[in-house]
Amino acid sequence: MLAIPVLTAALALVLCLVMGFLVARSHLTKTSADPRGGPTRPWVDQDLQDDSEAMSKEHEDDEWDDSDKGENVTYVPYSPERLPEEQMVRASKRFYASMNQRRSVRFISPEPVPWEVIENVVRTAGTAPSGAHTEPWTFVAVSDPDMKHRIRLIVEEEEEVNYRQRMGAKWVKDLAAFRTNWIKEYLDVAPYLILIFKQTYGILPDNKKRTHYYNEISVSIACGILLAALQNVGLVTVTSTPLNCGPKLRKLLQRPANEKLLLLLPVGYPAKDATVPDLKRKPLHDILLRI
Amino acid sequence: MLAIPVLTAALALVLCLVMGFLVARSHLTKTSADPRGGPTRPWVDQDLQDDSEAMSKEHEDDEWDDSDKGENVTYVPYSPERLPEEQMVRASKRFYASMNQRRSVRFISPEPVPWEVIENVVRTAGTAPSGAHTEPWTFVAVSDPDMKHRIRLIVEEEEEVNYRQRMGAKWVKDLAAFRTNWIKEYLDVAPYLILIFKQTYGILPDNKKRTHYYNEISVSIACGILLAALQNVGLVTVTSTPLNCGPKLRKLLQRPANEKLLLLLPVGYPAKDATVPDLKRKPLHDILLRI
């Protein structure tokens, strides 16, 4: 008779411990399924995620362009031409003046651009440093009208979804006023669409994956140099990160699973009547500190 | 008498449910403290995390430099100077030739560099596009010898930890051979150390946080333009992402909590006897596709 309460308690104990761990596991999977709390579609998160960020960085190097340091890397002398001070100052002013003319331009002329120039600006982007000299970038230059239009349809479809979500109830009222927000004519008009993919990992000869650490930073730096190269020849673009389109565009362009879309740049001459938003840049003292 | 087993069971039930939720909570915090499965020190992860990545991107714009599109943004005409085709091609070749001379250089001369040049290269970096024109960058140029040395001590301490972990047992054998891997003399020698911080969020007038979407991509693009500007005046650097040093360096330089260290660039003239690893770059057909 005394055994009954003990048994009941023991039974309840076991039962509840099991419950407890079930609750624990459910919480656990919930958080790890969506580690960045990003958009609700897992397949998008999966494809947009920078795999290198999802891995430990304990085994990488902090200095770039030096994958096999400490092993048998050979060093060569480096003695570039040196400018006198006054010339340096002048050169730094000239380059600033040129880059400061750059604006994000949405009104692009359909006039053709020499392919040789596209080759040279991408070559220039390819001189960027990268984590462990992995050069984890792929530039896809699209000039085929049909392919450009299919890219436009994918981008505009997602954009419309985003704007509708953003507008919510207000939407039905003034739809027309906002259509311009997701209509991207320049995707048909620009002579070239340059889609830049980051390679989140590489494939080694033994078919093992090699993580490309800092692949997003590396490819973004290359894009900075690409923007400078475009500005240097008088071509314009608008930096865009097509929202949730990465997977569809990757499949459309038949890029492998280790490549994730980072940026889409429509490239061409500015249209005759091009306008840009009247934006100012921060003064130097807001972005530069001297210690 | 019958009440006793029931009461015991009920008591056990309550007790175990509490236990269950405690377990659940502990799991929960454990996973969210380390969302990317990165290094095991939560405070490091916390500080290294790109907050913008941790938030939904449903409400941001895909086109940059256009924060208030659809609202009352005014547009101004944009008609930059246009180059004839042959001149474009020549300019694109010249710029490529110049940027292709850039290498990551660890042997930096102690000779002083004109401050005006540092100002101009940072001004140039500040012309980069950014998500919603947030300009989420802070450049800290350190020339103070004591501060440079304190930065060096922080970086080398972390580097040594990383290398010891990497070497494991092999370590004790040939420690000397690898010391060069974490000794960073250039942090004392270079006339300037430029530390680049990404502002993961901004503070609005009403003290609310404003997420800076794509802040890491934006600041990395600005760094690409900075590297181009340095190369343009004949200065050298080595791109580095000090591993796990972000929080300590941020505190040393008294940067606010919304700023995370992205890159550290020692800047100066190359040393007379400078050498660079004998690395090659990928051929164009490996990085550029035409469709």
Side-chain angles (χ1 to χ4, degrees):
Chain A
M1 283 301 281
L2 268 173
I4 291 169
V6 183
L7 284 177
T8 328
L11 205 68
L13 185 77
V14 174
L15 189 76
C16 301
L17 275 176
V18 172
M19 284 172 60
F21 281 110
L22 287 179
V23 179
R25 176 163 283 94
S26 74
H27 274 272
L28 188 59
T29 35
K30 188 159 152 289
T31 39
S32 35
D34 191 5
R36 298 178 178 187
T40 48
R41 283 167 295 175
W43 65 273
V44 172
D45 289 343
Q46 201 43 55
D47 213 77
L48 291 181
Q49 189 178 344
D50 180 340
D51 303 352
S52 73
E53 295 300 332
M55 302 182 187
S56 162
K57 287 178 178 166
E58 288 304 324
H59 297 291
E60 82 199 87
D61 202 334
D62 74 319
E63 283 175 8
W64 292 14
D65 287 1
D66 209 2
S67 44
D68 47 1
K69 182 170 59 176
E71 289 152 45
N72 48 14
V73 60
T74 57
Y75 279 71
V76 293
Y78 184 75
S79 47
E81 189 214 354
R82 171 141 171 192
L83 301 175
E85 279 203 6
E86 324 72 51
Q87 212 173 315
M88 271 179 84
V89 174
R90 276 203 304 279
S92 67
K93 279 182 187 158
R94 257 200 316 276
F95 194 64
Y96 166 66
S98 163
M99 293 302 127
N100 195 34
Q101 291 295 310
R102 191 203 56 77
R103 294 300 311 272
S104 292
V105 177
R106 290 160 190 77
F107 306 98
I108 298 177
S109 162
E111 298 162 89
V113 164
W115 171 246
E116 190 179 354
V117 170
I118 300 299
E119 284 187 320
N120 287 337
V121 293
V122 170
R123 261 195 198 97
T124 309
T127 66
S130 57
H133 195 53
T134 45
E135 302 172 279
W137 39 67
T138 305
F139 300 83
V140 182
V142 179
S143 57
D144 174 69
D146 174 58
M147 186 60 89
K148 285 194 294 181
H149 191 65
R150 288 159 74 181
I151 291 170
R152 175 180 178 175
L153 293 179
I154 290 174
V155 172
E156 288 184 347
E157 188 195 346
E158 285 292 341
E159 273 298 283
E160 182 169 355
V161 171
N162 299 327
Y163 276 99
R164 286 185 185 282
Q165 287 172 344
R166 191 185 306 187
M167 294 302 297
K170 225 169 139 289
W171 186 258
V172 283
K173 282 217 214 80
D174 41 18
L175 183 131
F178 285 85
R179 283 193 80 242
T180 51
N181 287 345
W182 79 76
I183 297 302
K184 308 207 175 293
E185 202 176 7
Y186 59 68
L187 293 176
D188 275 324
V189 173
Y192 286 105
L193 304 182
I194 302 183
L195 292 89
I196 298 106
F197 292 84
K198 58 182 187 182
Q199 299 165 355
T200 57
Y201 59 87
I203 309 293
L204 296 169
D206 58 5
N207 281 325
K208 285 212 185 91
K209 287 183 180 182
R210 175 196 186 188
T211 308
H212 288 166
Y213 293 111
Y214 300 125
N215 64 75
E216 182 162 296
I217 299 176
S218 304
V219 180
S220 300
I221 288 174
C223 289
I225 298 175
L226 176 64
L227 291 176
L230 288 168
Q231 177 62 19
N232 177 63
V233 294
L235 292 175
V236 296
T237 186
V238 52
T239 310
S240 79
T241 40
L243 208 49
N244 304 334
C245 299
K248 288 179 188 168
L249 292 176
R250 177 174 70 78
K251 292 183 179 79
L252 176 67
L253 298 173
Q254 301 179 300
R255 301 310 307 154
N258 66 324
E259 295 190 4
K260 318 293 182 195
L261 182 66
L262 184 71
L263 293 175
L264 191 168
L265 302 178
V267 170
Y269 300 100
K272 293 269 170 297
D273 57 356
T275 60
V276 295
D278 190 14
L279 300 175
K280 301 275 166 281
R281 289 179 176 132
K282 290 180 178 174
L284 187 62
H285 61 77
D286 279 0
I287 67 170
L288 173 62
L289 280 82
R290 185 181 192 173
I291 292 177
Chain B
M1 283 298 285
L2 268 172
I4 292 168
V6 182
L7 284 175
T8 331
L11 204 69
L13 185 75
V14 173
L15 188 78
C16 301
L17 276 176
V18 171
M19 285 172 58
F21 282 109
L22 286 178
V23 180
R25 177 164 283 98
S26 74
H27 274 273
L28 190 56
T29 34
K30 184 157 157 294
T31 40
S32 31
D34 191 5
R36 297 177 177 189
T40 48
R41 284 166 296 176
W43 66 272
V44 171
D45 289 341
Q46 201 46 52
D47 213 77
L48 291 181
Q49 189 177 343
D50 181 340
D51 301 353
S52 72
E53 296 299 332
M55 301 181 188
S56 164
K57 287 178 178 166
E58 289 302 327
H59 298 292
E60 80 202 272
D61 202 335
D62 73 320
E63 283 174 7
W64 293 14
D65 287 2
D66 208 2
S67 44
D68 48 1
K69 181 170 61 178
E71 289 152 42
N72 48 14
V73 60
T74 56
Y75 280 69
V76 293
Y78 183 75
S79 48
E81 187 213 357
R82 169 137 171 195
L83 302 174
E85 278 204 6
E86 324 71 53
Q87 212 174 316
M88 272 179 83
V89 174
R90 277 203 304 279
S92 67
K93 277 183 189 159
R94 260 201 314 276
F95 193 65
Y96 166 66
S98 162
M99 293 302 128
N100 195 35
Q101 291 295 312
R102 191 204 56 78
R103 295 299 310 272
S104 292
V105 178
R106 290 159 191 76
F107 306 97
I108 297 176
S109 162
E111 296 162 273
V113 165
W115 172 247
E116 190 179 356
V117 170
I118 300 298
E119 284 187 319
N120 287 337
V121 293
V122 170
R123 263 196 197 94
T124 309
T127 66
S130 57
H133 195 55
T134 46
E135 302 173 276
W137 38 68
T138 305
F139 300 83
V140 182
V142 179
S143 57
D144 175 67
D146 174 59
M147 187 59 88
K148 284 194 295 181
H149 192 65
R150 288 159 75 182
I151 291 170
R152 175 180 177 175
L153 293 179
I154 290 174
V155 172
E156 287 185 347
E157 187 195 345
E158 284 293 339
E159 273 298 283
E160 181 170 356
V161 171
N162 300 328
Y163 275 100
R164 286 186 184 280
Q165 286 172 344
R166 190 186 308 188
M167 293 302 298
K170 220 168 142 294
W171 186 259
V172 283
K173 282 219 211 76
D174 42 15
L175 183 131
F178 285 85
R179 283 192 81 244
T180 51
N181 286 346
W182 80 74
I183 297 301
K184 309 207 174 295
E185 203 177 6
Y186 57 68
L187 294 176
D188 275 324
V189 172
Y192 288 105
L193 303 182
I194 302 184
L195 292 89
I196 298 106
F197 292 84
K198 57 182 187 183
Q199 300 165 357
T200 56
Y201 59 86
I203 309 293
L204 297 169
D206 58 4
N207 280 323
K208 286 214 186 92
K209 288 183 181 183
R210 174 197 186 189
T211 309
H212 288 168
Y213 293 110
Y214 302 125
N215 65 77
E216 181 163 296
I217 299 176
S218 304
V219 180
S220 301
I221 288 174
C223 289
I225 297 174
L226 176 63
L227 292 176
L230 288 169
Q231 177 62 20
N232 177 64
V233 295
L235 292 175
V236 296
T237 187
V238 52
T239 310
S240 79
T241 40
L243 208 49
N244 303 334
C245 299
K248 289 178 188 169
L249 293 175
R250 177 173 69 79
K251 292 182 180 80
L252 176 67
L253 299 173
Q254 301 180 298
R255 300 310 307 154
N258 66 324
E259 295 190 2
K260 318 292 181 195
L261 181 66
L262 184 71
L263 293 175
L264 191 168
L265 302 178
V267 170
Y269 299 100
K272 294 268 170 296
D273 57 355
T275 59
V276 294
D278 189 15
L279 300 175
K280 301 276 167 278
R281 290 183 175 128
K282 289 179 178 175
L284 186 63
H285 61 76
D286 279 0
I287 67 170
L288 174 61
L289 280 83
R290 184 181 192 174
I291 293 177

